[in-house]
Amino acid sequence: TLHYLFEFLPVSKIVFIGPSSLEPLVNETDDSDLQIDYINENSLVPFSKVKEVYDPILAAATTKAISTVNWYYQQFLKMAYATVCKEDYYLSWDADTIPVKKIEMFSENGKPYFDVKPEFNTSYFVTIEKLFGYTKIIQDSFISEHMIFCKDFMLEMIAEIEKTNFEGNAFYEKILS
C-alpha cells in the first residue's frame, strides 16, 4: 500500500517507526524510487521505561478501562519524532489506514489543516487541563488517524511538559503521572 501514501499524500519520504523486527521488512521494499526509512522505536522512547512507569499506574487504577501501554507508547513516539525530524512539519499516519484519494494537508497559504471529529475522550481533555491549564473550548476534538505536527511546536510542548512538577523527568513520565 506504500504507493497510495506517496500518490495521495503530499509526502516525499516515509519513515517507519517500530520494533527491530520491522527493519528487515522496510529494507526489503522493492521500489528503489521511494524514499523510505526506518527508526527503531526504542531509540526515540524506550518502551521498557514507559512500561516501568505505566505498570504501577495500571495496578492502582480503580477502573480497568484505561488505554493500554501500547496505545500510550504510540502517542509518545509520535511526539518524540520531533526530536529527530529534519523538516518543519511531519505527518503522522496510522498504519491501519490508507488514503484512497488525494488529500491536501496544507492550505494555499501554507497553514496545515486539522481534522475534527465528534469523538470525546475525557482523559485527553483532563490531561491537557492538568498539563497546560486549558479546558475544552470547542465541541469537536482533533482525534484522528493522522495529524500534521509542526516540529518546533512539538519540541516546545515537550519542553513545557518536562518543566512541570509532575513525577518523572521525561515528558512521557510526566504525562503518565
Side-chain angles (χ1 to χ4, degrees):
T1 62
L2 283 176
H3 69 279
Y4 289 112
L5 297 172
F6 283 102
E7 182 179 348
F8 295 132
L9 298 175
V11 298
S12 58
K13 175 176 153 180
I14 295 175
V15 178
F16 288 94
I17 300 171
S20 57
S21 59
L22 179 63
E23 185 174 18
L25 299 173
V26 171
N27 291 337
E28 285 177 7
T29 305
D30 58 357
D31 193 335
S32 60
D33 292 338
L34 305 179
Q35 283 201 335
I36 300 172
D37 280 333
Y38 160 80
I39 295 177
N40 186 306
E41 62 192 12
N42 282 298
S43 71
L44 292 176
V45 177
F47 180 76
S48 60
K49 296 278 190 186
V50 172
K51 191 155 174 41
E52 186 179 298
V53 174
Y54 179 84
D55 283 348
I57 294 168
L58 179 63
T62 56
T63 176
K64 296 301 178 188
I66 65 174
S67 299
T68 69
V69 68
N70 293 357
W71 181 88
Y72 283 105
Y73 187 57
Q74 181 184 72
Q75 308 320 307
F76 299 150
L77 290 171
K78 292 173 186 177
M79 294 172 71
Y81 183 72
T83 64
V84 298
C85 181
K86 303 285 188 243
E87 283 74 29
D88 293 336
Y89 291 91
Y90 61 98
L91 170 65
S92 169
W93 191 276
D94 289 355
D96 61 351
T97 63
I98 59 168
V100 293
K101 65 179 184 176
K102 187 140 183 83
I103 301 173
E104 294 297 330
M105 294 294 169
F106 292 90
S107 67
E108 288 182 15
N109 65 356
K111 295 203 183 263
Y113 289 125
F114 289 101
D115 291 334
V116 292
K117 292 190 174 181
E119 288 187 45
F120 185 84
N121 185 321
T122 303
S123 61
Y124 292 170
F125 303 106
V126 168
T127 301
I128 290 168
E129 186 171 0
K130 286 182 178 181
L131 288 171
F132 304 109
Y134 302 126
T135 58
K136 186 168 174 31
I137 59 171
I138 65 168
Q139 181 176 345
D140 290 326
S141 73
F142 298 98
I143 299 167
S144 180
E145 295 78 18
H146 63 274
M147 180 175 255
I148 290 280
F149 291 91
C150 173
K151 175 185 71 175
D152 291 340
F153 290 169
M154 181 56 71
L155 293 173
E156 183 179 333
M157 187 171 79
I158 289 171
E160 286 298 314
I161 292 168
E162 290 182 343
K163 284 192 251 178
T164 66
N165 293 324
F166 292 105
E167 191 175 324
N169 296 312
F171 72 93
Y172 55 85
E173 294 170 315
K174 290 179 176 281
I175 290 171
L176 287 173
S177 75

